[in-house]
Amino acid sequence: MRPRQPANRPRPANSPFRAEAAPARPDYSVDDRVTHDRHGLGRVVRLDGDRVDVRFGSQTVSVAVTSPRLHAL
């Protein structure tokens, strides 16, 4: 038995419950400086599709480009 899913009904333009627009995808390039809410300051070392590898001090972390925790400086 499949779990019940909510109906995809169109919402009126003035509805306070309408879906929010997706945020713009930031463009990162190698050597861009970034900050992460958990890891702190870092530098982009590699781009891989929808993920970026960021060097934070002595560790490299793969972070989703659309992560709300990652901010370009």
Side-chain angles (χ1 to χ4, degrees), residues 4 19 24 29 37 67 73:
R4 185 174 174 190
S29 59
D37 293 348
S67 173
L73 296 179

Side-chain angles (χ1 to χ4, degrees), residues 3-62:
R4 185 174 174 190
Q5 295 185 6
N8 291 330
R9 290 181 257 163
R11 294 189 169 100
N14 59 353
S15 171
F17 302 107
R18 70 174 177 242
E20 296 180 14
R25 181 179 166 162
D27 292 328
Y28 295 109
S29 59
V30 175
D31 286 335
D32 279 353
R33 294 193 51 151
V34 295
T35 183
H36 190 276
D37 293 348
R38 181 176 181 187
H39 301 289
L41 293 173
R43 187 174 300 270
V44 175
V45 293
R46 186 170 72 115
L47 303 170
D48 186 25
D50 62 341
R51 301 193 68 79
V52 291
D53 289 348
V54 182
R55 182 125 181 118
F56 298 103
S58 62
Q59 67 178 354
T60 302
V61 179
S62 179

